[in-house]
Amino acid sequence: MDGGMKMILQITNLRKQFPKENGSLVAIDDFNLEVEEGEFVCILGPSGCGKTTLLRMIAGLDKPTSGSIKLKGKEIANTGPDRGMVFQEFALFPWRSVRKNIEFGLEIKNMPAAERHKISDKYIELVGLKGFEDSHPYELSGGMKQRVGIARALANNPSILLMDEPFGALDAQTRNQMQKELLRVWEETRKTVVFITHSVDEAVFLADRVVVLTSRPSKIKEIFKIEHERPRDRADPSFLALRKKILSELESEANQPSK
Amino acid sequence: MNRSVLITIIVAVLLIGAGGAYVLLSSDDDGENKTYDVRVGYLAGDLHQVARVVASDDDVNGGESLFKENGLNISTPFAAGYANGGSVMDAFAADDIDIGFLGSPPAILKSLNLKIDIIIVAMVNSEGSSVVVKDGIDNFTDLKGKTIATPGVSSIQHLFLLELAAANGMNVKLDGTDGDDDTVFYVQVAPKDMQAAMDTNQVQAAIAWEPYGSQMILSGAGELLLWSGDVWPDHPCCVIAVSRSFAETNPDTVEMFLKAFIQANEMIDGAFDAGSGETYDRIITLATEFSGTNETVVLSSMEHMDLDYQIGDNFETYLEDYTQSYIDLGLIPGSKLADRDYANVTEYVEDLVQVQYLEAVD
Amino acid sequence: MPAICFIFLPIKYYYVRTHDEGVAVNKLNKFPKMLTRMRDGFLLNIGFAVLSIAIFLVIWYGLSIFLDTAYLPTPVEVWDALVDSFNTPDPSLGVTMWDSIMASLKRFVIGFVLALAIAVPIGLIMGFSKFAGMIGKPIVEVFRPIPPIAWVPFLFVVTGMIWGPILAIFIGVLFPVLSNVIFGVKSVEPQLIDAARTQGASKSDLFAKVVFPYTIPYMMTGIRIGLGIGWMCIVAAEMIGARGGGVGIYILTQANIGRYDYMFAGMVVIAALGLLTVEAASYVERRVSKWMGA
């Protein structure tokens, strides 16, 4: 956060367009962002803007039309275990137990079983899933499923954690609890996080910086630095004021027709 | 308009009336040449039944077949012929046929087991089944552990196999099952496919009706082990069976049918006695076409079966033996005789064999 | 009769499953509740099964008495024949019903395993590779509508008495499994592929660790359908001819000699075997799809 910190992610002049029946659809245009190591960045935008596309390009799942994304100074060409991703719909492997889900990436690396076990134990403990190691996803609640998703992303020890509306499918109460849990995990691991959301409340509660996007084609509209001490009090007047300010920014954007 | 419609109707009525009257009158006029409708079933390619083929042929009789000449209007619901005697019995049960040519054992088996009420009115042939074996099998007991093809469990050939095995202290089991040292294995193969089964060594022996036994021997697929006549002299094989209810209501038809059949037998005897001539040639042609073989095979077959319609002294004895064997072997439950109100096997066979139709025309 | 218990076992589990689809956060707490449901569902189901079979038997009995033909024996006669067929060797075949069942089962298992061994890899490749799919699909579509039984005479002539019936089952099982595996591969959730890729999975990792396990329930559906067809095929094929006997040959032999009570006993055995295998497959299918979270 301080100027002395190392830059980990650099996005420059990013543009993404999809072919369409008549012409093409520009999802993201003229996008520039830098993220520092250990920073928690929330990307906030009206639904239907290119938030998810942006995250998928960072993950390497989609290729930019032009521009550059660099992780630790290296251009991103493909997917890789150095970027852990957490999905809105959890995307757990239903036939694998909690432990086996978390060890998936380690298996890919051909890590010996004993070593895998040690790592999965650590993250099961970290996300609070002790006692559920051998459960299957169908036996778990939504919040527990996403704990598995987070543990799975962290088990690979990535440089950056990409979270695509990870709590969007959860009920409000679970969602609040998961936000607190995520902050606890983040404070323990000090991972860089890029977190996509369309909830202003969530962004203000979690982030060091909130990046507000315009509607399509998405550009950065404004960046808010949130300097409130954690744990943040949602009832605090300054929290509410900030929330209101960002919300009005976002609403003015959402009311505009897509270009 | 109305008038023309009326005229049309009157003309139509007159025409139909005249046509009907003509048919009625002409059939009254022609009492001598009354026609008898009858539905007939028979086995596919069984040379034992060659007299039926001869009686059906127009050319061999110089224009009109023996059946037609005797006023019979024959229809064949299954012209290709039934695969085995069991199927002929099923055709009786389904009321598809009135008269059937089949082996006497399947007639007995199904008439008792399934209460199909038929009578036997004439013999078709005696003997004429053979056991054909691969090289190196010299005695029946050499078949221990070997596989023999039979036309099916309800056939006389199968009964012959069971009797031979019992006489030699052997048992018969389905091929591929676990047997003991005294087991001969059987597998059901259609007689026309037996030669191929022998050639490909799928079986080491076969037991078939003619002409397939002769065909295997002449083609070199196997060697003759024995003829059924060697073991059972003059044993009845195929017979003419009639639905009992049909025979009782249409005795004339049965008699005329038998008359034509006897004439066909006599024609064949005469032709073969002569050994040549137009009739002889035509019979050979019919036999080869019907059985799908060649002249050599047909001639060999004719030598090894006895075409004979007569119900001789030992006919009923043999049928009693067949019935008793089936009961002893368990293929006919003993209770089946009582179900039909027969005290014993003799009573059953006496009721089954009805000679009066044959006696009326012979 | 232990065989009867096996028939009802899957039904019991079915009830556990249908009442247990909710999220089981703590399995231990649910246990007594589960037992109660299992008992109620089990008894209810047994009750209906018994009622249904009883109605059928009464109609059968009435019909056989009314028609009074040796072609339709009474259920009592068929039961006696059934018991006898297991206890004494058949006079024509020389073996008991057990031997016939074992012969059919052996054939069934070989044909079935053969079909799986071929349908699964081909289905995976055809679903995964666009090129293989485009080459293979027309062939499959041409052959699939041909009823497996239509192949029986050809197979019997070309491959003989041993392989004919086995290959008939093979064809019967092959196509349902193949089309379901292809469908399964095409149904893999793109999110799971994405998740695996972000975990560093290569194309072969995706195939082995995502696509293959994902298709297993689809495979099971294909297997269940194939099993039902398989029994029809084996009986038809055995009737044309088979070495070593089998229930199909048993039925045909009894028909040939006119022992219809024993023939119906053979048909009852086929029904039981079909029910047993299809129910077992449905049970496994349900377990697998539960395991898959479906």
Side-chain angles (χ1 to χ4, degrees), chain C residues 170-218:
Chain C
F170 168 79
I171 291 176
V173 178
L174 182 78
F175 287 104
V177 175
L178 187 62
S179 7
N180 274 283
V181 169
I182 294 172
F183 181 68
V185 175
K186 302 241 182 240
S187 315
V188 176
E189 285 170 43
Q191 268 218 336
L192 294 184
I193 300 281
D194 287 346
R197 284 181 64 197
T198 60
Q199 292 277 309
S202 66
K203 203 151 182 167
S204 62
D205 289 328
L206 287 181
F207 193 75
K209 289 182 187 285
V210 182
V211 174
F212 178 71
Y214 194 90
T215 54
I216 289 173
Y218 294 86

Side-chain angles (χ1 to χ4, degrees), chain A residues 5 16 26 53 123 125 150-151 176 187 195 200 209 217 227 245 247 255:
Chain A
M5 288 219 113
K16 177 71 180 175
V26 182
T53 307
Y123 286 101
E125 172 100 53
I150 292 166
N176 283 351
E187 267 154 21
F195 188 108
V200 178
R209 275 196 296 161
E227 310 213 302
K245 193 176 161 197
L247 198 61
N255 289 338

Side-chain angles (χ1 to χ4, degrees), chain B residues 93 110 113 173-175 202 329, chain C residues 71 91 93-94 243-245 255 257:
Chain B
K110 281 208 163 171
N113 274 346
K173 282 191 171 185
L174 182 66
D175 184 38
Q202 296 194 69
L329 290 162
Chain C
Y71 284 89
L93 301 168
R243 245 173 221 277
I257 62 176

Side-chain angles (χ1 to χ4, degrees), chain A residues 22-37:
Chain A
N22 42 359
S24 62
L25 180 101
V26 182
I28 290 166
D29 198 15
D30 193 21
F31 190 96
N32 294 282
L33 183 70
E34 291 187 340
V35 178
E36 287 173 358
E37 188 156 356

Side-chain angles (χ1 to χ4, degrees), chain B residues 28 62 66 86 167 171 173 190 200 223 244 312 332 351-352:
Chain B
D28 268 3
L66 287 168
N171 61 69
K173 282 191 171 185
T200 53
E223 296 168 355
R244 191 187 296 269
I332 296 175
D351 190 41
L352 179 68

Side-chain angles (χ1 to χ4, degrees), chain B residues 84 86 89-90 93 109-110 113-116 147 153-154 158 172-177 186-188 202-203 329-331 333, chain C residues 68-71 91-95 99 160-161 240-246 249 252-253 255-261:
Chain B
N84 54 48
M89 290 302 285
D90 290 339
L109 251 186
K110 281 208 163 171
N113 274 346
L114 290 173
K115 297 185 188 172
I116 301 170
T147 301
V153 286
S154 68
H158 198 86
V172 180
K173 282 191 171 185
L174 182 66
D175 184 38
T177 58
Y186 81 89
V187 61
Q188 179 174 336
Q202 296 194 69
V203 297
L329 290 162
L331 273 72
Chain C
D68 190 26
T69 152
Y71 284 89
S92 311
L93 301 168
V95 297
D99 297 312
M161 286 181 274
I240 288 192
R243 245 173 221 277
I249 281 200
L252 182 73
T253 303
N256 276 342
I257 62 176
R259 299 207 312 170
Y260 274 43
D261 40 359

Side-chain angles (χ1 to χ4, degrees), chain C residues 208-267:
Chain C
K209 289 182 187 285
V210 182
V211 174
F212 178 71
Y214 194 90
T215 54
I216 289 173
Y218 294 86
M219 231 175 268
M220 285 307 306
T221 304
I223 286 171
R224 178 175 49 76
I225 298 167
L227 283 175
I229 299 171
W231 281 112
M232 294 182 205
C233 299
I234 194 166
V235 173
E238 285 180 352
M239 281 186 170
I240 288 192
R243 245 173 221 277
V247 185
I249 281 200
Y250 182 90
I251 292 172
L252 182 73
T253 303
Q254 305 313 321
N256 276 342
I257 62 176
R259 299 207 312 170
Y260 274 43
D261 40 359
Y262 287 82
M263 181 189 79
F264 276 104
M267 289 160 67

